[in-house]
Amino acid sequence: MSKIIKELKVTAIENGTVIDHIPANVVFRVIRILGLENYGDMVLFATNLESKKYGKKGIIKVSNKYFKPDELNKIALVAPNATIIEIKNHQVSSKNDVMIGDEVIGIVKCFNPNCVTNFEQVDTRFAVVDKEDLKLKCHFCEKITRRNSMEFI
Amino acid sequence: MKNRSLVSISDFTKEEQMRVLEVAQEFEKNPVQNIMEGFVVASLFFEPSTRTRLSFESAANRLGGRVIGFSEAGSTSVKKGESLRDTILTIASYADLIVMRNPVEGSARFASEISNVPIINAGDGANQHPTQTLLDLYSIEKTQGTLDNLHVAFVGDLKYGRTVHSLVIALCNFNTTFHLVSPTELKLPSSVKMFIKEKNLEYHQYTNMEDILPVADVLYMTRIQRERFSDPLEYERIKNSYNLHNDMLQETKDNLKVMHPLPRVNEIDVNVDANPKAYYFEQALNGVFVRQALMATILGLR
Ligand SMILES: [Zn+2]
């Protein structure tokens, strides 16, 4: 019974990628980070779904698209527990976790108010110096942005 | 190093830094040469820093180069809201090399990535000031005969002083023993200490300056600024405990030199100036040779 209800909430896709276990409050941000606002094919999403493991979760289904690992790893900052499920002919063909990469480009604001990235039109760029505690070193001003002062663009 | 920008001291390897110091020796012996004839250096000072600007402009002029630019942003289109991007792209087509000082942190890195001529960072806010570091290295090598295995003491504001941070990082290549003297609230940040630890070098922290006087080869003084303290009484209490007086130099090593990035306030008493161990004014003069060397190597003339 519960299986059927789930199916009704978000239609299954024939081919493409399902991004599951997204924290409910960042679904729209994930859509933006992956550039899906301008995607030409079908994108389905739902948020505030009940999840036993994560409380409220969100899910995104993208028809006829498979992402490169680099693209998906961008969302690891906001959705570290996301699961990436690739669907081929209605079948699950692979299931993967996301990982924080070595560099973060254009997603996070530099916390330093006197950083050039807060004045000029330029993508922010950070080296990930600590993946556990999430410390990002700004490529420009060389200051460290930590998780608790992290703001997304 | 031809056509390379210098934004942070670590953009140059130890060998490249040594190469600049070597060329600086040549210019110290023979400071007036016409090798930069026909070259134009843009000197863009978005905030005033007379000392640094004159040092660069003197260096370029002594090598026969032309200097264009401005000494503060007030008289330029920047004040009218022009972006740094547009300023740099415009000026890059007028010059062979850009020297820039800008209070915005990261502005030099940004400029170096959009400009098609090399950028020398003459200070970007609290971030980097690599030519100061090169002239400090040059001064240490010149007075000590070597950069290796020295005991270097840093005194004053080690938390906010960017010259201290860059010099500490640069000295980590030379097996330095660090003596770090500061009030507790102005200790060297852990992000800088990390470099010392990575190289397994010896470092000691003190709050009292007297302890390090007999062991230091170099005494690098910095000023403590009132605005770093939320409590003005705390500043008053601390400021005089890091002042160097001539009589304090009696029990120091013969080879000791006192350095300071200048300008000083009262952390070095004027009665030290006449002591042969005082080196801060020569240190500033070395800046001209080092900047000559840097421009000449970046322009491919050395
Ligand atoms: Zn920054």
Side-chain angles (χ1 to χ4, degrees):
Chain A
M1 179 68 190
S2 73
K3 216 170 191 174
I4 297 164
I5 290 168
K6 262 186 193 167
E7 281 292 77
L8 288 175
K9 274 179 183 157
V10 188
T11 314
I13 54 173
E14 190 178 340
N15 287 293
T17 307
V18 175
I19 305 163
D20 199 359
H21 304 131
I22 304 168
N25 57 338
V26 298
V27 170
F28 292 98
R29 187 166 288 149
V30 169
I31 288 173
R32 206 171 340 124
I33 291 172
L34 293 175
L36 294 174
E37 292 153 309
N38 302 311
Y39 183 59
D41 209 325
M42 183 170 69
V43 179
L44 303 163
F45 67 88
T47 186
N48 293 321
L49 305 174
E50 295 297 335
S51 158
K52 281 202 193 94
K53 227 168 158 183
Y54 301 104
K56 299 247 185 224
K57 70 160 188 177
I59 188 165
I60 301 171
K61 300 189 177 191
V62 189
S63 261
N64 299 313
K65 182 163 177 81
Y66 302 101
F67 295 90
K68 295 195 194 85
D70 280 3
E71 287 179 275
L72 290 169
N73 288 341
K74 288 187 192 172
I75 72 169
L77 288 178
V78 290
N81 298 316
T83 309
I84 308 300
I85 305 154
E86 292 195 338
I87 310 283
K88 285 179 181 155
N89 297 320
H90 286 296
Q91 302 295 314
V92 172
S93 74
S94 70
K95 232 179 187 186
N96 286 299
D97 296 332
V98 291
M99 276 182 307
I100 293 174
D102 296 327
E103 250 197 333
V104 175
I105 296 172
I107 302 169
V108 176
K109 229 167 98 68
C110 181
F111 92 107
N112 174 8
N114 194 30
C115 175
V116 70
T117 58
N118 291 315
F119 294 93
E120 294 285 323
Q121 282 187 16
V122 59
D123 275 346
T124 60
R125 191 167 148 198
F126 300 88
V128 181
V129 289
D130 188 335
K131 290 188 185 181
E132 296 265 299
D133 285 342
L134 202 53
K135 288 181 187 163
L136 307 180
K137 185 176 181 186
C138 177
H139 169 71
F140 295 96
C141 74
E142 306 182 23
K143 300 273 180 300
I144 306 269
T145 296
R146 291 178 167 77
R147 194 190 294 275
N148 57 9
S149 50
M150 211 166 278
E151 250 183 80
F152 294 90
I153 289 165
Chain B
M1 278 167 277
K2 191 178 173 186
N3 279 325
R4 291 251 304 275
S5 290
L6 177 61
V7 174
S8 297
I9 189 67
S10 46
D11 291 350
F12 282 12
T13 63
K14 176 184 174 181
E15 289 68 33
E16 289 168 336
Q17 293 170 26
M18 298 304 284
R19 171 80 190 127
V20 175
L21 303 194
E22 208 179 291
V23 176
Q25 281 178 17
E26 180 205 327
F27 290 122
E28 177 164 7
K29 288 190 201 100
N30 192 3
V32 183
Q33 305 184 33
N34 235 10
I35 56 172
M36 273 178 67
E37 200 184 339
F39 286 93
V40 177
V41 174
S43 160
L44 312 184
F45 279 65
F46 292 83
E47 67 177 350
S49 172
T50 312
R51 192 180 303 276
T52 305
R53 183 172 61 83
L54 293 182
S55 176
F56 269 108
E57 296 185 3
S58 161
N61 284 325
R62 284 177 174 180
L63 295 181
R66 294 290 190 118
V67 178
I68 59 171
F70 48 84
S71 55
E72 53 177 318
S75 58
T76 67
S77 51
V78 176
K79 213 184 167 188
K80 297 176 195 135
E82 187 181 56
S83 69
L84 179 61
R85 178 191 299 275
D86 289 2
T87 308
I88 293 296
L89 290 178
T90 309
I91 289 170
S93 58
Y94 302 149
D96 302 292
L97 174 68
I98 294 174
V99 173
M100 181 175 84
R101 186 184 189 98
N102 192 311
V104 175
E105 288 150 26
S107 54
R109 180 72 62 200
F110 172 72
S112 75
E113 289 178 355
I114 57 167
S115 165
N116 53 11
V117 300
I119 304 277
I120 297 177
N121 182 8
D124 62 327
N127 187 32
Q128 297 285 337
H129 189 14
T131 60
Q132 176 73 45
T133 312
L134 287 170
L135 83 86
D136 290 340
L137 290 176
Y138 186 79
S139 300
I140 294 172
E141 189 185 30
K142 188 173 152 188
T143 57
Q144 306 298 323
T146 178
L147 282 164
D148 296 312
N149 312 318
L150 296 171
H151 285 258
V152 181
F154 290 89
V155 179
D157 176 359
L158 309 189
K159 184 173 181 188
Y160 297 100
R162 68 176 170 194
T163 52
V164 170
H165 302 171
S166 305
L167 184 56
V168 166
I169 293 168
L171 283 172
C172 285
N173 287 325
F174 299 97
N175 195 34
T176 303
T177 302
F178 295 95
H179 301 276
L180 310 169
V181 189
S182 72
T184 331
E185 42 280 82
L186 295 176
K187 272 165 49 172
L188 194 73
S190 55
S191 57
V192 181
K193 245 179 252 162
M194 208 171 70
F195 289 87
I196 305 179
K197 288 178 184 163
E198 254 171 34
K199 293 267 168 102
N200 277 319
L201 298 177
E202 208 180 310
Y203 73 96
H204 307 275
Q205 302 191 92
Y206 317 75
T207 48
N208 191 340
M209 182 154 96
E210 268 75 25
D211 302 342
I212 51 98
L213 291 171
V215 296
D217 298 306
V218 173
L219 187 55
Y220 198 97
M221 303 288 297
T222 62
R223 70 180 179 280
I224 294 181
Q225 289 168 289
R226 186 187 299 268
E227 54 268 33
R228 301 299 181 205
F229 290 84
S230 46
D231 179 0
L233 288 176
E234 191 65 11
Y235 169 76
E236 293 303 323
R237 186 182 67 79
I238 275 166
K239 69 169 186 188
N240 292 322
S241 50
Y242 298 94
N243 288 2
L244 186 68
H245 294 270
N246 196 35
D247 50 7
M248 294 163 75
L249 292 174
Q250 269 171 18
E251 298 297 309
T252 56
K253 285 186 180 175
D254 293 340
N255 62 313
L256 173 82
K257 292 292 180 216
V258 180
M259 300 191 186
H260 190 296
L262 301 180
R264 70 172 154 179
V265 185
N266 63 345
E267 56 279 359
I268 303 178
D269 196 280
V270 284
N271 67 20
V272 178
D273 294 1
N275 193 311
K277 291 176 179 176
Y279 194 71
Y280 25 94
F281 294 115
E282 287 100 317
Q283 183 187 356
L285 173 64
N286 290 337
V288 176
F289 311 131
V290 167
R291 290 175 175 118
Q292 283 180 305
L294 188 61
M295 289 192 275
T297 37
I298 287 176
L299 291 171
L301 304 168
R302 278 294 179 276

